[in-house]
């Protein structure tokens, strides 16, 4: 399909080679969307993996120490993951909207601050989409990493304590090497999920203001179902698939030893 000029409103189509790719790359907003996509994916993935690790370690510690609230914390975090992306976008829009109904701006004004343009300022809108996506994706990272922590043998921690290793050293030299395969799978999955995210952004900002939050996945949706250019939408899908493959290979080089290939 990406090598055709197929359209939803015209049953006839022709093979046009790489013309669809050329049209996408030469479009005025492509590089703005590419930059927004890189920032959105990079910051979201880093925050999801870091916050997911912190939550997984905290819950694992709470379970081992039989602290109250471990189960309720897991349920509260997991609730973000089961909510559909379109609903998450609407919820965050209700919180961040710049009117008297915006929950966050209401409390900011009541605290003596001025109204913040969370959704109408280009930079703040991009940060708002990153925050909403991080809130949803952290739950998945927490699940994966918490499962990985359950596989670390306790005797390794006991041996490290006998050798005088502190908490940070046990995390660096015991925990991380043991859960490295889980971190690798987690990174691959959250990168793919984040790169393909468009439903939450569509309901939160609609890609605006301008093209500030229009990532490639949302651009692909608009090309296919708003502008009816199926050929160009398929070309964007092929580009995103290529990026996913390249990122997976990079992660494999970073996290998987040559002997394991």
């Amino acid at each position: 399909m990406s090598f055709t000029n197929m359209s939803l409103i015209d049953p006839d189509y022709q093979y046009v080679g790489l013309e669809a790719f050329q049209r996408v790359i030469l479009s005025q907003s492509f590089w703005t969307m590419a930059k927004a996509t890189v920032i959105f994916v990079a910051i979201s993935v880093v925050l999801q993996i870091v916050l997911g690790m912190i939550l997984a370690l905290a819950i694992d510690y709470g379970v081992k120490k039989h602290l109250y609230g471990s189960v309720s914390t897991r349920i509260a975090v997991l609730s973000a993951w089961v909510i559909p992306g379109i609903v998450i976008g609407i919820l965050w829009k209700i919180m961040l909207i710049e009117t008297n109904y915006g929950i966050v701006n209401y409390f900011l004004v009541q605290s003596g601050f001025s109204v913040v343009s969370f959704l109408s300022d280009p930079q703040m809108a991009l940060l708002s989409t990153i925050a909403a996506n991080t809130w949803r994706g952290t739950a998945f990272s927490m699940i994966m990493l918490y499962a990985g922590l359950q596989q670390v043998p306790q005797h390794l921690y006991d041996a490290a304590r006998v050798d005088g290793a502190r908490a940070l050293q046990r995390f660096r030299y015991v925990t991380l090497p043991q859960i490295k395969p889980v971190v690798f799978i987690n990174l691959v999955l959250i990168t793919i999920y984040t790169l393909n995210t468009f439903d939450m952004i569509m309901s939160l900002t609609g890609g605006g203001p301008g093209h500030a939050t229009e990532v490639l996945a949302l651009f692909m949706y608009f090309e296919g179902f708003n502008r009816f250019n199926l050929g160009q939408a398929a070309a964007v899908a092929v580009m995103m698939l290529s990026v996913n493959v390249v990122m997976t290979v990079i992660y494999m080089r970073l996290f998987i030893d040559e002997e394991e290939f």
Side-chain angles (χ1 to χ4, degrees):
M1 190 183 295
S2 61
F3 295 109
T4 70
N5 59 358
M6 189 177 293
S7 170
L8 272 178
I9 57 177
D10 186 359
D12 299 325
Y13 64 90
Q14 297 175 334
Y15 286 93
V16 294
L18 298 175
E19 184 178 324
F21 292 90
Q22 188 178 13
R23 285 178 180 274
V24 170
I25 293 174
L26 295 180
S27 64
Q28 294 181 346
S29 56
F30 175 76
W31 294 108
T32 302
M33 291 182 298
K35 181 182 177 182
T37 304
V38 170
I39 295 173
F40 174 73
V41 174
I43 298 179
S44 294
V45 168
V46 170
L47 289 178
Q48 287 176 38
I49 199 77
V50 171
L51 295 177
M53 179 67 79
I54 293 172
L55 281 171
L57 289 170
I59 292 174
D60 183 60
Y61 178 82
V63 171
K64 289 179 178 176
K65 298 295 181 181
H66 304 290
L67 300 179
Y68 291 108
S70 299
V71 175
S72 58
T73 302
R74 274 182 285 181
I75 294 173
V77 174
L78 286 175
S79 63
W81 178 247
V82 299
I83 299 175
I86 196 86
V87 177
I88 290 176
I90 294 172
L91 291 175
W92 276 75
K93 191 171 186 176
I94 292 172
M95 291 195 298
L96 301 178
I97 196 168
E98 298 147 23
T99 66
N100 294 332
Y101 302 103
I103 299 172
V104 176
N105 271 317
Y106 172 79
F107 285 109
L108 286 176
V109 171
Q110 294 300 314
S111 303
F113 297 97
S114 57
V115 173
V116 178
S117 304
F118 287 111
L119 302 179
S120 59
D121 178 79
Q123 294 181 347
M124 289 302 298
L126 185 56
L127 291 177
S128 298
T129 58
I130 291 171
N133 188 62
T134 301
W135 178 73
R136 178 176 67 165
T138 297
F140 180 77
S141 292
M142 185 274 289
I143 298 169
M144 295 285 292
L145 296 172
Y146 179 73
L149 290 175
Q150 306 311 301
Q151 306 303 316
V152 182
Q154 183 60 37
H155 65 81
L156 294 180
Y157 290 119
D158 297 336
R161 286 192 181 91
V162 171
D163 291 339
R166 298 182 177 179
L168 190 60
Q169 292 172 318
R170 292 197 298 272
F171 175 75
R172 169 67 179 84
Y173 296 106
V174 177
T175 304
L176 277 183
Q178 291 294 315
I179 66 171
K180 194 166 66 170
V182 179
V183 175
F184 162 70
I185 295 172
N186 190 19
L187 273 174
V188 171
L189 292 178
I190 63 175
T191 301
I192 293 173
Y193 291 153
T194 304
L195 187 63
N196 294 341
T197 296
F198 78 96
D199 51 352
M200 182 207 68
I201 300 175
M202 186 168 61
S203 60
L204 178 59
T205 64
H211 296 282
T213 59
E214 187 174 346
V215 295
L216 286 178
L218 188 59
F219 174 72
M220 178 182 65
Y221 175 84
F222 286 153
E223 279 296 316
F225 298 101
N226 283 11
R227 294 185 279 271
F228 309 123
N229 297 322
L230 293 182
Q232 293 185 40
V236 178
V238 172
M239 291 179 183
M240 292 172 59
L241 174 63
S242 303
V243 172
N244 282 324
V245 172
V246 170
M247 291 305 299
T248 301
V249 171
I250 292 174
Y251 289 150
M252 289 177 67
R253 292 293 180 186
L254 291 175
F255 286 89
I256 306 298
D257 297 330
E258 293 185 2
E259 294 81 9
E260 300 179 55
F261 275 104

